[in-house]
Amino acid sequence: MESFGEKLRYLRQEKNINQIRLAKELDVGKSIISLWEQNKCEPTLSKLVSIAKFFNVSIDYLAGLED
C-alpha cells in the first residue's frame, strides 16, 4: 500500500507542479510539502481537506482507506 507521502508526490507530479507551487496553493511552507512527502509528518485535517479538494480525490484515498 502506498503511503500518504507517496500518494501526495504522485498526485503533484501528475499535475506537473512543484513543491513550491503546491505549498502556495495550500498556504504552507515548501518544507512542509517535503516533510509530508517523506512521511516525516502528517497534515492537519483542514489541510487534508484542502489537499483532497485541490487534487479532486477523496480523503479516504489520501488516508489509504480506498485505492
Side-chain angles (χ1 to χ4, degrees), residues 5-49:
E6 291 169 328
K7 288 179 182 181
L8 181 61
R9 182 179 299 116
Y10 170 79
L11 291 168
R12 182 177 58 75
Q13 290 173 342
E14 279 292 301
K15 205 161 185 162
N16 200 29
I17 60 173
N18 61 27
Q19 289 181 343
I20 294 169
R21 174 152 175 239
L22 182 57
K24 287 180 183 176
E25 292 286 340
L26 299 175
D27 195 30
V28 297
K30 183 244 177 221
S31 61
I32 293 296
I33 303 297
S34 179
L35 290 171
W36 289 344
E37 288 187 358
Q38 295 175 53
N39 295 303
K40 292 189 176 178
C41 70
E42 296 177 346
T44 62
L45 180 57
S46 63
K47 290 301 178 190
L48 197 60
V49 170

